Amino acid sequence: MRDARVKKLICMSSWGAKDEPGLPRIITWFLKPTFLRNILANMAEMENFLQEKCSDINYTVVRPPGLNNNPLSGKEIITREGQFVDGASSLPRADLVKFMLSCLTSKTYDKKMIAVAIPK
């Protein structure tokens, strides 16, 4: 990015990539210790790298819960700095993409790692 003079990075991680009090039990007790263990560890490594070694790069890390193939819902995305959004559920991939594209032209989430969801 530095060599190519790319100005902004919008990337996706996941709820629960890092530990945080209050994470839903299904993440901490089932998903994280079993089949998502390596995937979430890789996402946490990417997040740590951005925080520790990329202070000169403008990034936004978007952490969705489960994704689905439903059509665009048109609902407003709920955001929270942290690992999850309390009381929210999976969201359509189309909603996530629309939100991530909006981050390209907004400064609201610059240098932030945010959990996203849509209301139930």
Side-chain angles (χ1 to χ4, degrees):
M1 287 184 65
R2 291 175 182 112
D3 292 344
R5 296 186 183 149
V6 173
K7 302 278 187 224
K8 199 167 198 177
L9 170 69
I10 312 296
C11 59
M12 184 175 70
S13 185
S14 176
W15 281 17
K18 295 182 180 179
D19 291 326
E20 180 178 290
L23 270 171
R25 289 183 193 157
I26 190 151
I27 294 173
T28 56
W29 291 359
F30 178 67
L31 297 175
K32 200 163 187 173
T34 59
F35 65 91
L36 289 182
R37 177 182 52 227
N38 294 333
I39 294 168
L40 292 176
N42 288 340
M43 290 178 181
E45 186 177 349
M46 179 264 307
E47 291 182 8
N48 290 337
F49 182 80
L50 286 172
Q51 284 181 312
E52 296 165 8
K53 304 208 172 167
C54 299
S55 61
D56 61 322
I57 293 175
N58 188 2
Y59 61 82
T60 301
V61 176
V62 180
R63 298 171 172 146
L67 299 172
N68 61 55
N69 291 323
N70 294 344
L72 187 69
S73 72
K75 294 180 180 178
E76 187 170 344
I77 297 280
I78 301 169
T79 63
R80 177 184 170 272
E81 284 191 58
Q83 290 292 318
F84 69 101
V85 176
D86 199 24
S89 62
S90 68
L91 70 152
R93 285 174 172 83
D95 286 316
L96 180 64
V97 169
K98 182 179 178 186
F99 177 79
M100 289 176 75
L101 288 172
S102 75
C103 289
L104 287 171
T105 57
S106 170
K107 294 183 181 210
T108 304
Y109 304 108
D110 287 358
K111 299 259 188 190
K112 293 188 180 173
M113 298 188 185
I114 55 168
V116 297
I118 56 173
K120 287 185 179 180

